[in-house]
Amino acid sequence: MKSIMLPKSQACVCMNLIPVGPEYFPECLNLIKDKNLYNEALKLYPPNSQQYKDISIAYGEHLLQEHLCVPAGLVFAHTGAHEKALSAFVACGSWQQALCVAAQLHLTKDQLAGLGRTLAGKLAEQRKHGDAATVLEQYTQDYEEAVLLLLEGAAWEEALRLVHKYNRPDIIETNVKPSILEAQKNYMAFLDSQTATFSRHKARLLVVRELKEQAQQVHLDDEAPHGQESDLFSETSSVMSGSGMSGKYSHSNSRISARSSKNRRKAERKKHSLKEGSPLEDLALLEALSDVVQGTEKLKDEIYHILKILFLFEFDEQGRELQKAFEDTLQLMERSLPEIWTLTPQQGSATPVLGPNSTANSIMASYQQEKTSVPVLDAELFIPPKINKRTQWKLSLLE
């Protein structure tokens, strides 16, 4: 076999191999795989050639190894490798593409039903209950299981549509109503938990802030009365001129820059701890409080839909109970926002202030504030979460 010399440019490898003849294509394909030159190589062969198909399949398999199932499926489908395309689309739950490819494979009715159940299972795992129900109803003719999936996903109205489409009012009594009442109880429990968590974190945050203020005052009282105001001012001047702290910060920065990425990520994970007494407990509490508010705010659409269904089936009492609980929770959080988000990043990162009216106490307070300044990455924690008052979620019929 003729020896092959690799040129310096990887993109030229295949171009130099093509004139050698098809007997050397396996070596060419190995080079393409080794150098990851799939896109370049595909441009060198006609789309209807066997070489083009072989490169495409190799490319698709490479994408699968990289867990890029959708692009892999598209590459397989593009080159006519429908079975491989089907496997790729099924793997990632791309159900429309999978069913399109299945039609080109002319699957039997039983095979198509089996495929539908596989897809529905994957979609349900991904919390895509509506899509899973569509597949079950249309491709396995199992509308009962489709209704159950819709109820699981709180798609009440779509579930009712299928119930009436197939004239199965009995399912309303056996499954729909119990599911709705169970969901109402779950929402009530969740709101109770959110309220308790929010109130607990808020109370603790106020305590932490008070403790920090007391600690700062104690520090000032311990430092200032020692009669060294002139020395402190001298040190402060040195800092502001850059002669004293530049070396200190250079040394500190060199140590920080030497830290590995792994250690930085580990430090970042440990930074915000809700453990009482942790250095940045106040920031951890702000983060947790923001998460609670945002999680509650996102429920508005779900609450509106279940309120409609509760009213439809004459569960007025349960509907009013849920509506009031949700309104009370939102109002509690809304009233608390100004009390919780009182600081700004700038307030936590002030620079020392010097001047003719400066005192040892004022300079020390300024430095103490600088020592506890908020990192830039945490600045977003000082932005209060938004509660959109314009979002319509209440059902006036239950008022």
Side-chain angles (χ1 to χ4, degrees), residues 95-96 98-100 102-103 108-117 119 131-142:
W95 64 277
Q96 293 100 329
L99 291 168
C100 288
T108 66
K109 184 177 180 179
D110 290 342
Q111 288 175 327
L112 189 59
L115 172 62
R117 292 194 177 280
L119 287 170
D131 291 340
T134 298
V135 173
L136 284 176
E137 186 212 357
Q138 296 184 7
Y139 290 89
T140 72
Q141 286 70 53
D142 191 350

Side-chain angles (χ1 to χ4, degrees), residues 246-392:
S246 60
K248 180 180 179 181
Y249 274 116
S250 297
H251 178 60
S252 176
N253 286 338
S254 66
R255 285 187 287 113
I256 293 174
S257 62
R259 187 192 299 171
S260 68
S261 298
K262 180 179 180 180
N263 289 337
R264 283 199 300 271
R265 289 193 298 270
K266 186 180 296 184
E268 187 70 19
R269 286 195 299 270
K270 291 181 178 179
K271 184 176 62 174
H272 294 161
S273 171
L274 285 172
K275 183 179 179 181
E276 291 191 6
S278 61
L280 295 178
E281 185 187 356
D282 54 341
L283 295 186
L285 288 165
L286 274 178
E287 191 171 27
L289 284 163
S290 181
D291 289 343
V292 173
V293 174
Q294 293 179 60
T296 305
E297 172 74 11
K298 291 177 181 179
L299 283 179
K300 286 181 175 179
D301 190 57
E302 293 181 31
I303 295 293
Y304 174 67
H305 284 294
I306 193 174
L307 289 177
K308 290 194 298 180
I309 298 300
L310 286 167
F311 180 81
L312 181 66
F313 290 115
E314 300 181 358
F315 296 130
D316 297 24
E317 182 180 349
Q318 291 88 341
R320 291 191 183 95
E321 182 184 33
L322 178 57
Q323 183 161 282
K324 185 179 186 305
F326 192 53
E327 184 173 31
D328 290 346
T329 302
L330 289 174
Q331 288 179 352
L332 168 66
M333 295 178 179
E334 186 178 347
R335 289 194 306 267
S336 301
L337 293 186
E339 187 177 3
I340 295 171
W341 279 272
T342 57
L343 301 177
T344 64
Q346 289 76 16
Q347 287 176 306
S349 58
T351 55
V353 178
L354 302 177
N357 297 323
S358 299
T359 65
N361 282 352
S362 67
I363 297 171
M364 181 59 70
S366 181
Y367 272 113
Q368 183 65 16
Q369 190 175 25
E370 181 177 307
K371 291 178 184 177
T372 59
S373 63
V374 178
V376 176
L377 292 176
D378 294 324
E380 62 182 21
L381 296 179
F382 290 85
I383 302 175
K386 293 182 180 179
I387 296 180
N388 191 348
K389 298 180 181 180
R390 297 181 180 180
T391 303
Q392 298 297 322

